[in-house]
Amino acid sequence: MKTRKSVIKYAVMGACVLSLASCVQRYRNHGYVPSADELASITLGVDTRDTVEETLGPPSASGVLDGSGYLYVRSRVLHYGPRRPKVVDRQVVLVGFDGNGIARNVEHYALEDGKVVPLSRRITDNGIESGGLLRQLTSNIGNFGPSGAPAGSTGGF
């Protein structure tokens, strides 16, 4: 009897400890942004893509359409219990290049500089007219012809 009470007591204490541990704030860091000293070592108009990559390291991403720049992105995300994760800090550094691959500008953006982009939901019409399942099935009767038949096989592999 005494061991049963102690097992129940330890199980309840364990459940309390686990529930309290799940409410701990955790920060997760993603990505890399060069320091101000590293950015100052880039000479605009002189450094090329290769020298920038050698100095700052490989970028997180490059220009989407024409590879016009290197992007370095760092995010800090707060995780708190069962709540949705929240981005508390984001830093973006863009190193822009001209058509010859020479560094032309360095831009720094923070989370406050971002804009909320509304996502639109577009619905494509599926072309199905109103009517039930039987109407759709029976409407295809007689619509088969030789133009829709598959071509005969030659018998070879």
Side-chain angles (χ1 to χ4, degrees), residues 107-126:
E107 300 176 36
H108 187 267
Y109 300 102
L111 185 61
E112 299 81 28
D113 298 325
K115 295 180 182 176
V116 176
V117 178
L119 299 176
S120 65
R121 181 175 179 203
R122 296 182 298 171
I123 299 174
T124 305
D125 183 23
N126 59 9

Side-chain angles (χ1 to χ4, degrees), residues 4 19 22 27 40 63 68 72 122 132 137 146 150:
R4 185 174 182 185
S19 66
S22 68
Y27 289 97
S68 60
Y72 296 91
R122 296 182 298 171
L137 290 175

Side-chain angles (χ1 to χ4, degrees), residues 18-97:
L18 286 176
S19 66
L20 288 175
S22 68
C23 294
V24 174
Q25 287 187 4
R26 292 175 294 151
Y27 289 97
R28 293 198 179 169
N29 298 312
H30 303 275
Y32 161 75
V33 169
S35 68
D37 295 335
E38 292 172 325
L39 291 174
S41 67
I42 295 175
T43 307
L44 298 178
V46 175
D47 282 331
T48 62
R49 290 180 187 277
D50 295 332
T51 58
V52 168
E53 188 171 343
E54 188 176 302
T55 303
L56 302 180
S60 302
S62 21
V64 178
L65 296 178
D66 56 0
S68 60
Y70 283 171
L71 290 167
Y72 296 91
V73 182
R74 181 182 68 209
S75 297
R76 186 169 187 175
V77 182
L78 170 66
H79 296 267
Y80 185 72
R83 294 183 186 170
R84 176 180 294 173
K86 179 181 177 186
V87 178
V88 293
D89 183 36
R90 180 173 292 134
Q91 303 291 322
V92 178
V93 172
L94 169 69
V95 180
F97 299 97

